[in-house]
Amino acid sequence: MDREHIGSAQPARLRVGTSDAGTGAVVVTPVGELDHHTAELLREPLDAALDAGRTRLVVDCAGLGFCDSTGLNVLLAARLRAEAAGGSVHLVAMRPAVARVFRITGAEAVFTVHDTLATALPDSG
């Protein structure tokens, strides 16, 4: 066990990138495992985007291999904040193991889920 990371985020297990899609959306790209130990690494950029007034969040899940209930709660909290501000959270390209968590918990019903990033982004023209 890596004792340096007990009770703190483990960046080696999850990397999160963000980009401005140029269409009014912020794309957040988690890669790795989203769980109790790494959830803060996703929460921070989601909160930062919302704090900056960006209310359309697109989470590209193509590189997300695992998501537990803590990770799910981070996404649900972002969704509530976005919707309170008139926005939304869109999930893209969920792998089967991640999609299963959303299906079992019923969370897939409260998110807009897209197969591709292109379909999650609003038209730029």
Side-chain angles (χ1 to χ4, degrees):
M1 182 183 279
D2 185 358
R3 301 213 184 269
E4 283 185 32
H5 291 103
I6 293 176
S8 65
Q10 298 178 5
R13 291 184 44 222
L14 183 72
R15 294 182 321 278
V16 180
T18 60
S19 62
D20 185 336
T23 58
V26 172
V27 178
V28 180
T29 309
V31 176
E33 298 177 3
L34 178 57
D35 61 23
H36 172 75
H37 298 289
T38 62
E40 195 61 29
L41 295 170
L42 180 59
R43 182 187 329 273
E44 289 173 359
L46 292 171
D47 283 348
L50 291 163
D51 290 345
R54 306 300 295 272
T55 59
R56 184 179 179 96
L57 305 178
V58 177
V59 182
D60 184 348
C61 300
L64 194 59
F66 177 79
C67 180
D68 74 358
S69 62
T70 306
L72 178 61
N73 282 328
V74 166
L75 293 166
L76 288 167
R79 178 190 146 274
L80 288 175
R81 280 193 66 198
E83 287 185 354
S88 56
V89 174
H90 298 256
L91 305 178
V92 177
M94 286 195 292
R95 290 179 171 181
V98 174
R100 184 172 187 265
V101 171
F102 282 77
R103 191 171 46 257
I104 288 171
T105 61
E108 71 179 357
V110 299
F111 287 99
T112 302
V113 180
H114 303 268
D115 291 332
T116 67
L117 189 57
T119 61
L121 297 174
D123 289 334
S124 57

